[in-house]
Amino acid sequence: MRPQGNPTISFAPAGVSRREFITGSAAIAAALGVSLTSVAEANERRQEAAKDTRPVRCAFIGVGDQGYNVDFKAALSVPGVKMAAVCDIYKPYLERALKDVPGAEGYDDYRRVMDRKDIEAVLIAAPLYMHAPIAIAALQSGKHVFTEKMMAYTIAEAKAMARASLSNKTPSGGKLVLQIGHQRRANPMYNHAWELINQKKVLGTKGILHARAQWNRNGSWRKPPLPGMDDRHRNWRMYADISHGLMSELGTHQIHAVNWFVGAPPVAVVGLGGLDYWKDGRTIKDNVEVLFEYPNGVKLNYTSLTTNQYDGYYEQFMGKDGTLVISEEKETPAAFYREPTAAAEDWMKNSVTGPQQGKHHEVGLKLDPEATKKIAGPGVKIGEKTFAGGSAGKSAYVLEMEDFFNSVRTGAPVTCDWREALACTVAACRADEAMDKHTRIEIPASDYTL
Amino acid sequence: MAGFFFARALVKWLEGMADSPAGARHVQDVEELPAAFRGEPEPVAAETEAEWVFPRVERAAMGSLFEIFLAGHDRETLIGAGEEALNQIERLDRQLSHYRDDSDVARLNANAFDHWVRLEPRMYHLLKRCAAVHAETGGAFDITIGSLVKAWGFFRGQGRIPPDDEIASLLPRTGMQRIEFDDSDDLVHFTVPGMEIDLGAVGKGYALDEAADLLRLYSVTAAVLHGGQSSIHALGSPPSGHSGTGGQGVSGAVCPPVPLPHCPTVGWRFDIKDPRDHNTVVETVYLRDEAISTSGSYEQFFEQDGVRYSHILDPRSGRPTRGMLSVSVIAPSAAESDALSTAFFVMGPAAAQEYCASRPHLKVIMMEDAAGPELRVTRIGFEGEP
């Protein structure tokens, strides 16, 4: 059966025997080279290194909405980060960012940034289809890379990025860091939830049996036009030949959380989706309903709509003893609902901030919604992640960037590495394929390895 | 004909403003008007100038209702840009809020005494600007009053009068001179423990400035943005031949604009009113790429034993300010007008006049909280005034 409490990514393709599954799982685990022990050791090192503020000279490529307002600012909240170059093809964006970093040089061609010998790390928030070309160029020129999620537009591109990170070295011969921006990994609340499910077993000894996730909105999802920018550049998320739309831009954040919590990526997928409402020239689907199958019969029911926002977004983990929900609910961003058949555990009395009633009168408990307050002291371990002292008040974006620069400085394992990010890319691409072909896709094991 | 349709558009906008509760309506504009007013082509209008549309968007943030009035020719584009600007305000709310535990303010308050904390450049510069105003106003403006605000029950509370020794114990934890800055890496350090930053007196203005900058990126040339009416950023000027006026007498001081035809096009028009009598206009101002902020004791206060305690604290004494009714400041940015309206409220007219003597870009209207029917008004920076 699935190894309990082991966060290693492993999977059993549907239909294979138990023996084959175990063999395959062990092989994959070995290939991925991750174990609890090494993660814990790495976290120790990470905590030690948290005080390291050695200057790191960076280039930031793509300073648009998310790039500038979130990632650029988060990177510049990390001590020692020096922005030496900024690159964007849209001049007003470039000028806006350069105003903040007067010492940096501006570029409109990312390839010229790679020639800069003084730059150690490249941060990428360009459109999805540009992640691979830019990241590979950066890795080939010996620069560490942080790129926004999803990792790449195709599985092959994502693998090429991973290979480039493994086969190239820093100018001094060191290992290259490649981190992808699925920031839930750096979020204390998600780590808290992981701990409850995988270590405290609040859902029962068999853990997650089913998962549901959705990201529903009511709106065109279209960005308003910017003067001088054509729609493919402005609304690249709308075009199926360069984006997987809802699956890549919204879905992979949530699928990442499910993969992480379940401890394995999906083995098969079926789905229905279509372009049924916003027929405004876009080519992506405006609604997706996908079922992912995980090892041991665990299933994820994933929905993303653009014509109805009821219940917004959430990730819901269901086990024999209860349900854990993480949502955009302001007052209760995370809650646990105990099944009437399950016994209350002692930890619940200490871990909660107040009672919470479920919709159908389940006994519910509101999980600590301010988990970051726990890290005001000298540092604390939540689940498998150690948050350094002084983490209080940091958003997941800032924590994620701190982790990246910590890895650059010390070689510590990254927060979301290519293995996890590749698994998300596989999920989005295979889901799109299943919807397009109206068929069940068995995800080959080879998708998850290089 | 155009005049008739325009008047109807204004009526719709006016109606929308008059009865719009917070968050009740997302977008509201002139949908019922003929196609020409929605920016759609109309054969007879082909040779004339493109018609103007005036959509409005709103969202609750920072404990206020933010509204953006936009003027332009393409309704959908304007609304899209307005929504992006509101997104920006919401992002800044998350960054600046002292009610959240993962805001930059929370990060500073939790860590900046223990070690130097780095801030992203724009936030860092905001703090530096606050420090400059603090120094220039002799401490009348101070963002480190967080612990005092809590002691007086103004933070999620109904108000309380803290004992003298409690105030005395908090004053050493207050004062921007106790913050160190390191420009080489945008680092901030508190030199005393327990200091708490509260950006309540400048956050809305800063958010409006940033939102206005984003609208400019979208080539919006005419808009008015406000947060709870106390802070307003006027972007550009109204369409040629039209102007704006603050016709809605809510709390009296400053109101959102409504474009009216046949007015001089010198900027968006605002009426500054007597807070005690909304029918009395104390001053009419026209703003173009400028901001106006109002601090008033009539808006937020609590009463105990017949004494009214304003929410505006004098950081130097740790006690609520008394003596002023309302202070409005016009400045190039809403962050500056926000900070100065609070500072001048604390400083009083004489000190404010002294401050403005070397700063001709400022205009100030100060109304004193005096007994009797006569309203004592001090005008600074207006023509014909000393």
Side-chain angles (χ1 to χ4, degrees), chain A residues 65 68-70 72-82 90 92-93 96 99-101 222-227 234 369-373 376 389-396 398 402, chain B residues 76-77 79-81 84 87-88 91-92 95 99-104 106-108 110-111 114-122 125 156 184-187 206 210 213-214 216-219:
Chain A
D65 294 331
Y68 174 74
N69 289 309
V70 179
F72 184 76
K73 288 181 174 179
L76 286 170
S77 302
V78 180
V81 172
K82 306 280 181 194
Y90 188 58
Y93 277 166
R96 174 175 69 175
K99 260 193 237 165
D100 290 348
V101 282
R222 218 170 230 299
K223 292 277 183 184
L226 276 166
R234 182 66 182 134
E370 296 179 330
T372 50
K373 285 210 172 129
S391 295
K394 287 173 186 167
S395 70
V398 173
E402 278 193 347
Chain B
E76 289 305 320
T77 301
I79 289 172
E84 289 293 316
N87 290 343
Q88 185 79 327
R91 269 194 293 263
L92 293 170
Q95 185 182 6
Y99 292 97
R100 292 178 64 96
D101 73 329
D102 62 350
S103 67
D104 272 351
R107 187 157 65 95
L108 272 175
N111 301 303
D114 295 331
H115 55 85
W116 289 82
V117 170
R118 189 181 196 187
L119 294 173
E120 55 89 7
R122 296 186 83 84
H125 288 299
R156 287 177 170 150
S184 68
D185 218 8
D186 298 346
L187 299 167
Y206 174 70
E210 296 285 294
D213 271 356
L214 196 67
R216 290 187 180 96
L217 200 69
Y218 283 94
S219 290

Side-chain angles (χ1 to χ4, degrees), chain A residues 176-191:
Chain A
L176 284 171
V177 171
L178 171 60
Q179 181 174 322
I180 291 87
H182 293 287
Q183 83 283 356
R184 277 165 170 68
R185 259 285 196 198
N187 186 328
M189 192 169 75
Y190 277 87
N191 280 273

Side-chain angles (χ1 to χ4, degrees), chain A residues 7-9 28-35 38-39 42 46 139 145-152 158-159 161-163 165-166 175-186 252 256 259-260 265 384-385 400 403-404 407 411-426 448 450:
Chain A
T8 307
I9 287 186
I28 297 298
L32 301 182
V34 186
S35 74
S38 69
V39 168
R46 191 180 308 185
L139 293 163
V145 168
F146 171 92
T147 182
E148 254 299 345
K149 70 98 210 20
M150 172 167 101
M151 190 173 180
K159 290 184 180 187
M161 286 165 72
R163 282 193 205 99
S165 75
L166 298 171
K175 277 175 76 172
L176 284 171
V177 171
L178 171 60
Q179 181 174 322
I180 291 87
H182 293 287
Q183 83 283 356
R184 277 165 170 68
R185 259 285 196 198
T252 52
H256 175 244
N259 288 358
W260 170 29
E384 60 175 349
K385 185 173 170 65
E400 168 188 51
D403 283 349
F404 172 68
S407 298
V414 295
T415 287
C416 175
D417 66 7
W418 65 264
R419 297 169 184 88
E420 291 182 28
L422 171 63
C424 296
T425 303
V426 168
Y448 296 114
L450 297 183

Side-chain angles (χ1 to χ4, degrees), chain A residues 1-3 10-12 16-29:
Chain A
M1 302 304 288
R2 185 166 59 89
S10 58
F11 61 92
V16 302
S17 72
R18 188 182 160 195
R19 187 173 162 275
E20 280 169 324
F21 166 37
I22 290 167
T23 313
S25 168
I28 297 298

